[in-house]
Amino acid sequence: MEWKKLPEVCDIKTGKKDANHAKENGKYRFYTCANHYSLCDTYSFSGESIIVPGNGDIGLVFYYDGDFEAYQRTYVLSNIKICAKYLYYYFVYKWRSQNTSKQFGSTVKYVRMQNFNDFIVPVPPFPEQQRIVAKIEELFAELDNSVAMLKKVKEQINQFNESLMEQIFQQSDCSWEEYKLGDEKICSINKNFNLPDFEDEDIVSFLPMAAVEAKTNKFYPQTTTYGKVKKGYTKFRNGDVLFAKITPCMENGKICIVNDLIKDCGFGSTEFHVLRCSENLLPKFLYYFVSRENFLRRAVPYMTGSVGQKRMPSDYLAEQKIKVPSIDVQKQIINCVADKISKSKSIDNILDSVLVSCDALRQSILKKAFGGEL
């Protein structure tokens, strides 16, 4: 077994293109420091290559055999004199751990050419390199199949939850009364509580987007900030349902019920709709209604604004129809849904834990492969 410095086994270059070089429908892959390649209309590199971002997540490593382009802060290993896949898997195994503590910069961490020049690779005979690659890919294929199955189960859980929600809110029971969401008999949307009883100089609490955690829909009142009342901001209080107006925040689940505010109220930024239930509608019932995937999907064609910052108009939200049962039935539904979601969430958490273990197993396979144990 020989140990060689990286420049002895390949050429090391950086790309020359800036981020604006990407084209939506380009012909060639364009590797940047992101976790997935873009596209562009030119190429500067060909053949088997290993691509490594120079900043951001330096643990990312890509293998590609073909024509491609590279961003100016991306490193390309080409003209590889050993088995290219062997070198790729060794990078996946060792690059992050050996360079995490050797990064430069403060705000944005990055590596330099010296990191690559100092990187040492174990080089067994070529047939052994090929054997190691074949064994790694055999085991990775089995692992990938398992991961795909686990992800499919997670997707089925999400589909079950969505189906459950749809069944509930499509009830045909004649005792359920139908309203528009903006009907004040059941709900007020950004109404009747704009800047009440506060002067422009008063110091109040404000709600940042960070107060609502994406996807989990948890509300964190401790993240609220303090400042002077501003026009266009809407008062919210414990029990209100906050609904993010913009994508991608809306798509990521920026919807919550306000709770644990020390003074019972604060001010929401213009990024949230504030929905306040009447005595005829329970906040949790409304929360389940507006957080359904179907509800969000149907809103997309009616959203306004530029790409990436589209907003749901309050008028659209107010026009949506909701069937409302009695308070007692709402309570029964809330308890039933909460129980089923809790159980499915427990299963989902177990699956997430197994998926994390699969990532660890991937590293374990590489460790054994390069330790001569496979």
Side-chain angles (χ1 to χ4, degrees), residues 85-101:
K85 280 286 190 76
Y86 174 88
L87 181 59
Y88 163 71
Y89 286 122
Y90 190 73
F91 255 80
V92 173
Y93 171 49
K94 278 292 187 183
W95 180 251
R96 184 192 299 275
S97 63
Q98 288 197 6
N99 288 281
T100 296
S101 62

Side-chain angles (χ1 to χ4, degrees), residues 29-49:
R29 292 187 181 188
F30 178 36
Y31 285 94
T32 64
C33 294
N35 60 5
H36 194 271
Y37 62 83
S38 303
L39 297 173
C40 67
D41 289 332
T42 67
Y43 70 90
S44 300
F45 301 92
S46 297
E48 280 191 300
S49 302

Side-chain angles (χ1 to χ4, degrees), residues 347-364:
I347 298 172
D348 197 57
N349 287 339
I350 292 171
L351 293 174
D352 283 340
S353 177
V354 175
L355 286 170
V356 170
S357 297
C358 288
D359 287 338
L361 181 56
R362 209 175 292 273
Q363 278 299 110
S364 177

Side-chain angles (χ1 to χ4, degrees), residues 87 230 265 273:
L87 181 59
K230 297 180 182 179
C265 71
H273 292 296

Side-chain angles (χ1 to χ4, degrees), residues 158-218:
N158 290 334
Q159 290 173 350
F160 168 78
N161 289 337
E162 181 65 16
S163 175
L164 173 66
M165 295 294 192
E166 288 304 305
Q167 288 176 27
I168 290 171
F169 292 106
Q170 295 300 322
Q171 287 278 359
S172 58
D173 191 323
C174 60
S175 66
W176 291 39
E177 293 191 51
E178 186 172 83
Y179 299 91
K180 287 184 178 179
L181 201 55
D183 189 329
E184 292 189 10
K185 291 180 182 178
I186 61 159
C187 181
S188 296
I189 303 173
N190 304 332
K191 290 181 181 179
N192 304 328
F193 32 92
N194 276 357
L195 302 178
D197 304 323
F198 286 101
E199 300 296 333
D200 287 347
E201 296 303 311
D202 285 341
I203 302 296
V204 297
S205 59
F206 288 94
L207 178 75
M209 290 297 287
V212 185
E213 185 176 73
K215 296 189 178 181
T216 66
N217 294 340
K218 290 182 179 178

